[in-house]
Amino acid sequence: MLSDWRVIYMGGVFISLFLFVILISKPKKSTADKILSAWFFFAIIHQALMGWYASNKMSDMPALIGWELPFPFLHGPFLYLYILFLTGQQRHGWRNLFHFIPSVLAVVILVPVLGSMSVQEKMGMAGPSGFEPLFRGMVGSIIVSGIVYVLLSLRLLRRHRRNVAVQFSNTDKITLNWLRYLIGGMGAIWIVVIISPSAQSLYIVVALFIFFIGYFGIRQVGIFSHQLPAHAVYLPAVVQLPEKTPEPAVVEDMADIASKKVKYEKSGLTDTEAARIHAALISLMEQQHCYKDSGLTLGDLAKPLDVHPAILSQVINSKEGKSFYDYINVLRVEAFKQLLQQPENQQYTLLALAFECGFNSKTSFNRNFKKITQLSPSSYVKEMNISIQEGE
């Protein structure tokens, strides 16, 4: 009968293979999907080599000993590039291939080294090898690489969180949790490598990580399944306004300069134009109730107004004193309060009315309602003495 860790080992390989097949079968794969597919391909090979080591089967195929070393250099870059492209933060195109230089260098170094070593030296049966310092240095470099890429990935996640807050009206179903799981899982693996670098403990934590991301990846919409984007989303850099080219200075008297309040310096947008866009925005909301679209983004709202998303964001910030996210959710809360006042709606539950107003989850509804009104939805209903259907 297989021991417990062997069961986990075999399960990890099969789950990785299963997820890889799902990914390569996914229609219309994005660049992020292709990166994740390549990552799983190399992860399967790496898992097989680690499991082979953990099973003490090195003597069966001694030619493979040592060739597991280049693979750990791949996981950090794949994690980083996957997050980079999934969150739309890519900038450098083909230069992203530079991230794989350490892995290629490891292969170049190992070709002559492993070729000159005997089987006994590779298996540690001939005493200390002259290449021992090289291998220790390579393992140290692997650990440094892993830690650095986890930190770089965390920085990407912070940027993505800011971008989501700027452009999305509902954030509960965005890929933040999926990215947290990936980064957290990779961080846990490197902690195990540092604390307990044995082949068996390392393989068990890697296999558990594969189970974990397989479960949450399948639950996360769009990761292992195909879903066309239904809403306009812009890259973070597109939302940032470019600096305006300075115009020739106009000579004015000191009184005029002191009395003028300069607004929208970076975008070049005048206060008059901002007021026009704001009025058009209010009219659009009153007529079309765009906030009821639970997937509404800044880009969606900018299109019918015929303005750049960055300009619209700045107008909302200036005229409403709120971010796009807060502005839309205030409108949803106000619409919810209006629905509560209508007797014909008292047959519905609070959550049903919340969904009607554009919220997409109970958590998001409760959080935003309390943030805006300082009361929970149920407390507000009691305070207003409104009779409403119980349940969700």
Side-chain angles (χ1 to χ4, degrees):
M1 181 177 291
L2 292 175
S3 59
D4 291 342
W5 71 265
R6 287 283 301 281
V7 172
I8 295 175
Y9 153 60
M10 293 181 66
V13 172
F14 281 118
I15 292 295
S16 296
L17 186 59
F18 172 69
L19 296 176
F20 173 70
V21 171
I22 291 178
L23 281 169
I24 62 175
S25 303
K26 185 177 178 180
K28 298 182 180 179
K29 288 184 285 292
S30 65
T31 303
D33 293 329
K34 295 174 183 176
I35 292 172
L36 189 59
S37 300
W39 187 9
F40 268 101
F41 174 76
F42 287 106
I44 291 169
I45 300 174
H46 191 200
Q47 280 182 284
L49 288 172
M50 286 197 306
W52 173 60
Y53 266 93
S55 304
N56 294 317
K57 300 293 185 181
M58 293 92 73
S59 58
D60 295 346
M61 297 183 68
L64 294 178
I65 295 176
W67 285 110
E68 77 286 351
L69 288 172
F71 287 94
F73 285 111
L74 294 174
H75 300 312
F78 272 126
L79 171 69
Y80 176 80
L81 292 177
Y82 175 66
I83 295 175
L84 188 74
F85 279 85
L86 185 65
T87 58
Q89 300 182 59
Q90 68 274 12
R91 297 288 181 273
H92 304 303
W94 64 270
R95 283 184 286 176
N96 288 315
L97 294 174
F98 289 158
H99 291 282
F100 297 104
I101 289 178
S103 182
V104 174
L105 284 177
V107 172
V108 171
I109 292 170
L110 288 174
V111 167
V113 170
L114 295 179
S116 65
M117 293 178 68
S118 66
V119 174
Q120 288 75 19
E121 285 180 307
K122 291 180 180 180
M123 297 183 65
M125 298 169 60
S129 169
F131 297 109
E132 195 67 28
L134 172 64
F135 292 130
R136 283 202 299 267
M138 196 169 289
V139 170
S141 300
I142 288 171
I143 294 173
V144 171
S145 171
I147 294 172
V148 167
Y149 275 103
V150 166
L151 294 176
L152 290 175
S153 299
L154 284 172
R155 187 175 70 172
L156 289 180
L157 180 59
R158 282 199 302 271
R159 289 178 181 173
H160 182 53
R161 188 185 298 115
R162 290 198 297 269
N163 183 42
V164 165
V166 168
Q167 297 196 56
F168 290 82
S169 61
N170 269 314
T171 61
D172 287 43
K173 295 185 178 180
I174 309 301
T175 55
L176 292 180
N177 281 342
W178 165 246
L179 298 182
R180 290 191 190 103
Y181 297 150
L182 280 179
I183 298 171
M186 289 295 293
I189 289 173
W190 291 115
I191 290 173
V192 171
V193 170
I194 295 170
I195 296 176
S196 178
S198 70
Q200 290 188 9
S201 60
L202 176 59
Y203 188 79
I204 288 174
V205 73
V206 169
L208 292 176
F209 174 60
I210 294 296
F211 293 147
F212 184 75
I213 66 171
Y215 172 73
F216 284 102
I218 289 173
R219 291 187 62 190
Q220 177 74 52
V221 175
I223 301 300
F224 292 103
S225 59
H226 178 61
Q227 185 182 53
L228 291 173
H231 300 276
V233 181
Y234 292 80
L235 299 184
V238 176
V239 179
Q240 297 172 0
L241 292 166
E243 294 288 341
K244 183 185 177 185
T245 304
E247 297 178 356
V250 178
V251 178
E252 298 175 321
D253 60 51
M254 295 302 295
D256 288 338
I257 294 174
S259 65
K260 285 189 176 182
K261 185 177 182 180
V262 180
K263 292 186 177 182
Y264 313 112
E265 292 178 334
K266 293 184 178 180
S267 65
L269 184 68
T270 64
D271 193 30
T272 301
E273 180 65 9
R276 184 196 67 77
I277 295 172
H278 184 232
L281 173 64
I282 294 174
S283 175
L284 180 68
M285 286 299 181
E286 290 176 348
Q287 294 175 18
Q288 299 188 19
H289 308 295
C290 301
Y291 53 83
K292 290 187 176 182
D293 179 359
S294 63
L296 184 70
T297 68
L298 182 66
D300 293 335
L301 201 54
K303 280 185 176 180
L305 294 172
D306 195 26
V307 297
H308 192 281
I311 297 293
L312 178 58
S313 176
Q314 198 168 19
V315 169
I316 293 173
N317 291 340
S318 174
K319 297 299 184 181
E320 294 289 338
K322 304 179 183 72
S323 67
F324 167 74
Y325 176 86
D326 289 334
Y327 170 67
I328 296 299
N329 283 293
V330 165
L331 292 177
R332 288 170 176 163
V333 168
E334 291 303 316
F336 172 81
K337 286 158 60 172
Q338 291 178 17
L339 288 181
L340 278 179
Q341 301 296 329
Q342 300 172 12
E344 64 270 21
N345 290 327
Q346 294 178 4
Q347 60 180 313
Y348 301 109
T349 64
L350 293 177
L351 194 56
L353 295 180
F355 285 168
E356 176 66 23
C357 297
F359 292 104
N360 68 348
S361 72
K362 181 179 180 181
T363 302
S364 175
F365 168 55
N366 288 337
R367 181 179 64 247
N368 282 286
F369 192 91
K370 190 167 186 178
K371 176 183 176 182
I372 293 166
T373 67
Q374 309 304 314
L375 292 171
S376 67
S378 56
S379 297
Y380 177 83
V381 168
K382 290 179 181 177
E383 186 172 286
M384 299 299 293
N385 197 26
I386 298 173
S387 176
I388 193 76
Q389 182 75 27
E390 296 294 332
E392 299 191 0

